[in-house]
Amino acid sequence: MCTELEKKMRNDFTNLQTPSFIVRKSKFDDLIEEMIKATYKTFPNAIIGYSFKTNNLPWVILHAKSKGLWAEVVSSDEYKLAKRLGYAPEKIIFNGPVKEKSEFFEAVKSGAIVNLDSHRELVWLSSMDNSTLENSMIGIR
């Protein structure tokens, strides 16, 4: 049980410094559950990813991961963060034009879904040995 002081502190947002993020875990859980149900009702084979660009606080990401959401990243930094937070490469969707060559190659080789966003990425892909592309999941945005 919470003390009165704890209750007051939880609801007193007047002294927050900006930027601040307030995450109501129960609301977040409800929204995730609603999204999953609505998506799978129409698209049973869909993959739902959590956008790191939207909010890359590790607790939020790990909570989304615990609910079965994949990592949706748009840069090499976000790709590295997903791996640090325990995402298997095959549970990462790598979008965006800010991919570094080394992460691009690693993601393609390790089974991440990699969406090509530029001509240079097409050139990188064409330079790869076909045998390394057997488990690759490539899309074009």
Side-chain angles (χ1 to χ4, degrees), residues 5 12 23 25 36 59 74 77 87 112 122 127 131-132 134 136:
L5 177 60
D12 182 9
V23 179
K25 183 179 171 288
I36 289 170
W59 179 90
V74 297
D77 286 343
Y87 274 95
L122 188 56
S127 75
S131 65
T132 63
E134 290 179 13
S136 64

Side-chain angles (χ1 to χ4, degrees), residues 40-57:
Y40 292 150
K41 181 178 178 182
T42 305
F43 305 103
N45 297 318
I47 295 169
I48 301 172
Y50 178 79
S51 169
F52 282 36
K53 184 177 181 179
T54 302
N55 185 330
N56 65 3
L57 293 174

Side-chain angles (χ1 to χ4, degrees), residues 26-74:
S26 61
K27 184 65 173 174
F28 189 43
D29 288 344
D30 291 345
L31 291 171
I32 290 172
E33 187 62 33
E34 287 175 30
M35 178 181 57
I36 289 170
K37 284 181 184 175
T39 301
Y40 292 150
K41 181 178 178 182
T42 305
F43 305 103
N45 297 318
I47 295 169
I48 301 172
Y50 178 79
S51 169
F52 282 36
K53 184 177 181 179
T54 302
N55 185 330
N56 65 3
L57 293 174
W59 179 90
V60 174
I61 292 169
L62 289 171
H63 190 69
K65 181 178 184 268
S66 77
K67 298 295 183 182
L69 276 60
W70 290 28
E72 190 273 330
V73 301
V74 297

